[in-house]
Amino acid sequence: MDVVEARDEYFERTGVYIPVCADGGIVHDYHIMLALAMGADFVMMGRWFARFDESPTRKVKRNGTFLKEYWGEGSNRARNWQRYDMGGEVKNKLSFEEGVDSYIPYAGPLKDNMDIAVCKIKSTMCNLGSITLKELHEKARFTLVSAVSIKEGGAHDVIQKDVETNR
């Protein structure tokens, strides 16, 4: 939040708006909304997109679960010497690995998931009375809640139907 305040103060002082990027940590679609509500102007979503069929990585099955390969931008696997070159032969390597080389849960086709994510973003903005990102930044409020209140806020004491079989 300090970054957002600094951006806004700088804009007031100079008239120059510097966008804030939420880089990393976008795993679920609601994380997109959280980042935007906290003041981000855009989000980096490599990990989110990597879960889908359209990602060029391999789909693998581990312990009965389908996963997709994923490696972060700062990982040794993804390093780009033009981007990370520090000059000279000795320095021409990364000092440490910043990203991960791992697996993430497979999520199927992008289109199905994208439609759901966009609907969730629109719904949340509508619930806040926000049409624009600027309005979202102004109107969004966060409230600390307990794990019990989250559980109580969801469906409980019911047995949910399997949507596909309608049972």
Side-chain angles (χ1 to χ4, degrees):
M1 297 306 288
D2 292 341
V3 171
V4 172
E5 289 172 13
R7 173 203 56 205
D8 295 344
E9 288 173 14
Y10 185 78
F11 176 70
E12 290 295 320
R13 204 172 58 250
T14 65
V16 176
Y17 186 86
I18 299 175
V20 171
C21 172
D23 186 3
I26 305 297
V27 179
H28 304 290
D29 46 17
Y30 71 89
H31 292 153
I32 301 165
M33 198 66 237
L34 288 172
L36 295 173
M38 283 190 257
D41 295 288
F42 62 99
V43 294
M44 300 292 282
M45 297 173 46
R47 182 174 173 188
W48 191 80
F49 282 113
R51 307 173 307 144
F52 303 117
D53 287 330
E54 292 79 4
S55 166
T57 60
R58 291 185 310 140
K59 181 172 76 170
V60 298
K61 192 171 188 178
R62 301 276 169 156
N63 300 325
T65 302
F66 283 105
L67 306 166
K68 290 281 279 187
E69 290 182 314
Y70 170 75
W71 52 91
E73 173 65 22
S75 68
N76 283 333
R77 188 173 183 176
R79 61 185 167 191
N80 174 337
W81 291 121
Q82 292 176 342
R83 181 171 180 177
Y84 293 104
D85 185 7
M86 297 178 193
E89 288 186 33
V90 175
K91 295 182 181 180
N92 199 15
K93 65 178 186 159
L94 291 175
S95 300
F96 58 93
E97 187 171 15
E98 296 180 60
V100 295
D101 192 341
S102 58
Y103 296 101
I104 54 177
Y106 167 69
L110 173 63
K111 175 155 184 13
D112 297 345
N113 289 278
M114 181 63 82
D115 290 345
I116 292 167
V118 170
C119 285
K120 287 179 181 181
I121 291 168
K122 287 179 178 180
S123 175
T124 303
M125 289 184 71
C126 181
N127 289 336
L128 291 171
S130 303
I131 296 173
T132 66
L133 196 53
K134 183 179 181 197
E135 283 182 324
L136 176 66
H137 291 165
E138 293 167 359
K139 294 180 179 181
R141 298 290 177 268
F142 289 88
T143 304
L144 185 61
V145 295
S146 68
V148 172
S149 67
I150 291 171
K151 183 178 180 189
E152 287 297 314
H156 55 86
D157 300 332
V158 296
I159 300 170
Q160 291 185 305
K161 288 183 176 180
D162 182 352
V163 178
E164 291 181 18
T165 61
N166 200 20
R167 291 190 276 157

